[in-house]
Amino acid sequence: MITSTRQAITEPKPESMAELLTLTVKLDASDLHLTYGEPPVFRVGGDLRPMSCEAYTHEEIHALLGQVMPPRYASVLEERRSVDFAVSSATKGRFRFAAYYQRGALSVAIRLLAKGIPDFQSLGLPPSMVRLPAFRDGLVLITGVTGSGKSTTLAAIVDAINRTERKNIITVEDPIEYVHQNCNCIINQRELHTDVHAFPDALRDALRADPDVILVGEIRDLDTMRTAILAAETGHLVFSTLHSKDAMSSVNRMVGSFPAGEQTQIRQQLSSTLRAVISQRLLLRADKSGRVPAVEVMFVTTGIANLIRLAKDDMIYSAIETGQGEGMQTMEQSLIGLMEAGLITRETALLSARNQEMMRNRLTLRGLLDTGTCRVWGRTRQAASDVGNGTR
């Protein structure tokens, strides 16, 4: 049980889901967690903050969920032991629910979605990403861990296409998080368990519906991955997400998902269809007022396409690093830019880097780090050295 009272939220125990959602908005929390044997826990500014109230029982959590969960999802939850769905409130906004069982008890993770659909600038994304909606065909991947803003970035891309192009857009989502209204485009949004049973089925259906743009909420399996590549090969623009940390690992994951005998062919297909990989994560701002995105941007140039085809994935990082003139940047370059702008601290930049020692060297060369006081996991480098030398 959570026993720390640091930054605990002092409020009466909410008796309804409506009260919980209202409190989520009031606290400007990104997420709310309901777990058996624990009080409600909110994620505020990236930190988890529990309420100082009595814990919920399994029966109470089940009753709270039943107040908002559409009936059609109840059978999915009992059969699959997990389900995702979204609900809207005219006064509170839109929320995504992820309900699942753990140790035989029900848990719920609730995310507060942004009101309206933000654009690239308001999200703090790199200017070069405005090129993404303009692609005519191919595959574009948005990658990152859970909670890194992938769905919001996809929504911004679809909204940009909707405002500037005349296209037929079909999305397949689990659940639908951002609801798009037709502007210049026709947008059909299909939701798992409501409109279709599985991502591969929906993707194959979409190919018969005269689409220009297809959005697949997440590539979860080999069948979906195979169909997405096929759709991109046949002249469609396909957007999707992967749970991977950077461009290089995204390529490795896609290729590695296929049987060994198919990997050479898949590399050939990816080298000709992959247009861009955007990898992002959300980091705590230096003033602790919220979070800011750090973003790696890879556009598949002729050189990078050759590296993918020839299985020289270890050279992709260098190609991104030297591709700033073409709008590319590595995660480390993004971190340095955020640090120079005063948006994140040196400690955050170091801890978020792929290679901390390499990051220290680059910060030192830029005069952004004093080698005598370089922090290592909360201690100064000099202090760590003193410990090693037996002087402390």
Side-chain angles (χ1 to χ4, degrees), residues 158-159 161-162 167-171 173 179-189:
V158 171
D159 187 61
I161 298 173
N162 191 24
K167 304 277 189 181
N168 181 22
I169 303 173
I170 297 177
T171 77
E173 304 170 70
V179 178
H180 295 272
Q181 304 298 326
N182 292 351
C183 185
N184 291 320
C185 296
I186 301 171
I187 305 180
N188 290 288
Q189 295 181 261

Side-chain angles (χ1 to χ4, degrees), residues 242-262:
L242 270 182
H243 286 280
S244 49
K245 64 181 181 179
D246 53 35
M248 187 168 64
S249 64
S250 300
V251 172
N252 283 333
R253 180 177 174 187
M254 290 198 74
V255 173
S257 297
F258 288 85
E262 296 183 47

Side-chain angles (χ1 to χ4, degrees), residues 133-151:
F135 285 124
R136 300 293 96 185
D137 58 19
L139 176 63
V140 176
L141 295 175
I142 312 296
T143 77
V145 300
T146 299
S148 59
K150 300 186 296 296
S151 297

Side-chain angles (χ1 to χ4, degrees), residues 329-346:
Q329 64 181 25
T330 64
M331 182 59 70
E332 283 65 33
Q333 288 170 328
S334 176
L335 292 170
I336 290 173
L338 292 172
M339 181 178 158
E340 288 180 325
L343 294 174
I344 62 173
T345 64
R346 286 180 298 179

